[in-house]
């Protein structure tokens, strides 16, 4: 445990338990129960790990529908103002868990600000055009307003990067994004994966599965189109989201869209699947590693964080033990070819070796690395103060 009394953590918003919240949970495990957490809006019913922590919300939580899971993002244009209202002056160290606005806090020169970046604001930078298109904001007066607001957010995002002393990236992919957007170096510390919650299973059934939130950028529709072209191969699609009914309508007889499933049911599908299918370009990608923790090979799009967490089969004679197949383009044709390649070489994938690879990304490794990094950063920061 860190021997520091005055540490606080900021987090963009706390409304669901997703990848960023898993990182926050393990970070608070290292920092201790009394660590205070600042966030724009908070709904604790799905976040029991915060019950021993004081959570400070911004004024947005008091605005109409401020805590609504479906409406809070509408307040994004004023979230920079909200986080700048927090008085952080009493803390020695502030750690921001950031993928939107959490790093925008104001610190004085004698405070150390470390920012763990899950991603620079996706919909303000390289995913802006996709975001505007999917939100039907790529034209008309609403489109011009949205583009102007995103322009202002980009300016604020770059300016507030200067208030961060040290950056941590959740992958080398995000490290490159940080260098591109902020012109800053970052230390890579991979997020923690709950390896123990996913047990090894060597006896696989004759089906494939995919798990993700059903939103456009996850490309689940592309996966379904690919398996519609392979009617002799069974696919289970797990996950909820706004595109659920559309996915059900487009699914062929061999594709079953199950919607949201309890954790134990989801794990059973992942443990028993012949392979796990994934199509999104992820910042890191925790779910494919959970599949590998089950000893299940992964067939995934080969860009983004998954290029760092899946060891691809490259053909005979490769030195590394493969844990999956990576394809080059987010098209149904490429996925069909990848599944065909996998089935023709399935004997090269060893479930125990796949599980062993996933174990590297467990929470113990994250705790050790993040604690050491904070301690070393604080020591260097103190020695630099004249």
């Amino acid at each position: 445990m860190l021997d520091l009394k005055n540490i606080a953590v900021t987090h963009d918003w706390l409304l669901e338990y997703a990848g960023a919240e898993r990182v926050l949970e393990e970070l608070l495990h290292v920092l201790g129960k009394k660590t205070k957490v600042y966030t724009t809006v908070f709904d604790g019913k799905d976040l029991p790990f915060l019950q021993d922590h004081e959570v400070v919300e911004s004024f947005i939580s008091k605005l109409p529908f401020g805590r609504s899971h479906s409406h809070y993002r509408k307040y994004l244009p004023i979230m920079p103002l909200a986080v700048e209202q927090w008085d952080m002056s009493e803390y020695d160290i502030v750690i921001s868990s950031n993928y939107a606005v959490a790093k925008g806090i104001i610190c004085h020169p004698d405070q150390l600000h470390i920012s763990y970046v899950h991603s620079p604001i996706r919909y303000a930078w390289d995913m802006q055009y996709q975001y505007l298109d999917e939100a039907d904001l790529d034209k008309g007066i609403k489109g011009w307003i949205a583009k102007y607001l995103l322009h202002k957010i980009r300016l604020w995002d770059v300016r507030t990067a200067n208030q961060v002393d040290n950056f941590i990236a959740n992958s080398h992919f995000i490290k490159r994004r940080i260098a591109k957007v902020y012109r800053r170096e970052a230390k890579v510390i991979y997020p923690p994966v709950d390896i123990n919650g996913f047990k090894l299973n060597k006896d696989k059934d004759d089906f494939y599965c995919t798990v993700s939130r059903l939103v456009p950028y996850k490309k689940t529709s592309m996966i379904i189109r690919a398996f519609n072209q392979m009617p002799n191969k069974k696919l289970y699609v797990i996950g909820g989201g706004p595109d659920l009914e559309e996915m059900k309508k487009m699914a062929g007889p061999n594709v079953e869209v199950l919607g949201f499933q309890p954790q134990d049911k989801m794990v059973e599908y992942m443990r028993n699947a012949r392979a796990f299918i994934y199509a999104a370009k992820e910042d890191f990608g925790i779910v494919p590693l959970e599949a590998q923790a089950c000893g299940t090979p992964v067939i995934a799009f080969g860009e983004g964080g998954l290029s760092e967490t899946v060891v691809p089969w490259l053909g005979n004679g490769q030195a590394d033990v493969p844990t999956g197949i990576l394809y080059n383009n987010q098209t149904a044709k490429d996925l069909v070819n990848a599944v065909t390649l996998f089935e023709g070489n399935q004997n090269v994938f060893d479930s125990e070796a796949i599980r062993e690879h996933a174990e590297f990304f467990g929470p113990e490794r994250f705790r050790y690395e993040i604690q050491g990094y904070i301690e070393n950063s604080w020591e260097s920061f103190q020695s630099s103060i004249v």
Side-chain angles (χ1 to χ4, degrees):
M1 201 68 67
L2 287 168
D3 186 22
L4 292 168
K5 296 179 181 179
N6 296 320
I7 305 178
V9 176
T10 66
H11 191 86
D12 294 303
W13 42 77
L14 288 165
L15 296 173
E16 61 181 351
Y17 188 66
E21 288 68 41
R22 300 183 196 193
V23 173
L24 176 63
E25 180 179 15
E26 291 300 330
L27 177 61
L28 292 175
H29 179 89
V30 170
L31 297 179
K33 291 183 178 180
K34 293 184 179 181
T35 306
K36 191 179 292 187
V37 178
Y38 292 76
T39 191
T40 54
V41 290
F42 174 52
D43 181 355
K45 67 178 185 294
D46 295 324
L47 302 166
F49 71 90
L50 289 169
Q51 63 185 2
D52 294 326
H53 298 269
E54 181 182 351
V55 178
V56 178
E57 295 181 83
S58 75
F59 66 79
I60 291 175
S61 65
K62 298 180 175 63
L63 298 178
F65 305 105
R67 289 178 178 161
S68 168
H69 289 229
S70 56
H71 292 284
Y72 73 96
R73 288 180 186 268
K74 294 178 181 178
Y75 289 113
L76 180 64
I78 62 171
M79 284 184 181
L81 175 64
V83 301
E84 289 175 348
Q85 305 312 302
W86 294 326
D87 182 2
M88 314 300 293
S89 59
E90 67 180 283
Y91 304 107
D92 294 324
I93 301 175
V94 181
I95 302 173
S96 55
S97 171
N98 181 86
Y99 53 93
V101 298
K103 73 170 175 48
I105 52 173
I106 298 172
C107 294
H108 60 69
D110 292 337
Q111 286 177 292
L112 172 64
H113 179 186
I114 300 171
S115 186
Y116 189 103
V117 178
H118 308 279
S119 175
I121 309 176
R122 300 177 189 91
Y123 30 84
W125 292 101
D126 53 317
M127 290 184 68
Q128 171 185 289
Y129 307 105
Q130 180 179 336
Y131 164 73
L132 292 172
D133 179 60
E134 291 169 358
D136 198 24
L137 292 172
D138 56 339
K139 53 187 176 294
I141 186 65
K142 288 185 178 179
W144 281 108
I145 293 172
K147 291 171 186 175
Y148 176 74
L149 291 174
L150 290 175
H151 166 71
K152 298 296 285 185
I153 287 174
R154 279 193 294 275
L155 294 176
W156 178 86
D157 191 35
V158 171
R159 177 179 64 77
T160 57
N162 294 324
Q163 299 171 186
V164 177
D165 295 293
N166 293 358
F167 278 102
I168 304 174
N170 71 351
S171 65
H172 288 278
F173 174 58
I174 294 302
K175 178 179 179 177
R176 292 191 295 273
R177 272 185 174 172
I178 291 170
K180 180 71 173 180
V181 173
Y182 304 142
R183 302 298 179 184
R184 296 284 298 277
E185 283 295 315
K187 166 72 174 179
V188 175
I189 298 180
Y190 289 122
V193 180
D194 180 20
I195 300 300
N196 294 329
F198 297 82
K199 304 300 182 184
L200 172 66
N201 179 30
K202 299 189 222 177
D203 301 319
K204 304 299 185 181
D205 289 337
D206 190 19
F207 69 82
Y208 297 85
C209 82
T210 185
V211 177
S212 72
R213 182 163 168 74
L214 300 182
V215 292
Y217 90 91
K218 294 290 189 180
K219 303 294 182 182
T220 308
S221 60
M222 185 274 283
I223 296 175
I224 293 175
R225 286 197 303 273
F227 275 82
N228 284 346
Q229 298 174 32
M230 300 182 286
N232 61 326
K233 305 185 195 307
K234 182 68 177 179
L235 172 71
Y236 290 101
V237 178
I238 299 172
D243 293 348
L244 177 60
E245 293 306 316
E246 180 185 346
M247 299 299 103
K248 288 182 177 180
K249 289 177 183 177
M250 70 181 298
N254 61 313
V255 177
E256 192 168 345
V257 181
L258 301 175
F260 172 80
Q261 295 294 306
Q263 179 77 4
D264 59 338
K265 294 289 186 183
M266 181 195 73
V267 172
E268 280 307 299
Y269 279 103
M270 294 171 73
R271 293 183 71 239
N272 292 311
R274 189 174 183 181
F276 182 82
I277 309 294
Y278 212 68
K281 183 177 180 178
E282 292 285 9
D283 304 326
F284 174 70
I286 287 179
V287 177
L289 271 168
E290 293 173 341
Q292 291 175 77
C294 299
T296 303
V298 172
I299 302 173
F301 178 52
E303 292 188 16
L306 269 71
S307 66
E308 302 172 43
T309 61
V310 176
V311 181
W313 184 71
L314 302 173
N316 295 327
Q318 74 178 82
D320 298 325
V321 176
T323 69
I325 300 282
L326 296 178
Y327 54 93
N328 296 324
N329 301 293
Q330 288 173 308
T331 66
K333 179 181 178 181
D334 271 49
L335 178 53
V336 169
N337 291 338
V339 171
T340 302
L341 180 64
F342 168 74
E343 292 194 352
N345 299 277
Q346 192 170 347
N347 62 315
V348 306
F349 296 99
D350 179 82
S351 292
E352 290 184 346
I354 294 172
R355 164 74 188 193
E356 185 177 347
H357 167 74
E359 287 175 348
F360 167 79
F361 297 91
E364 293 80 9
R365 185 266 323 157
F366 174 83
R367 294 171 189 172
Y368 173 79
E369 290 185 5
I370 199 76
Q371 178 168 336
Y373 184 81
I374 295 169
E375 290 176 339
N376 291 337
S377 297
W378 177 241
E379 183 178 344
S380 298
F381 183 75
Q382 283 186 305
S383 65
S384 68
I385 298 175
V386 180

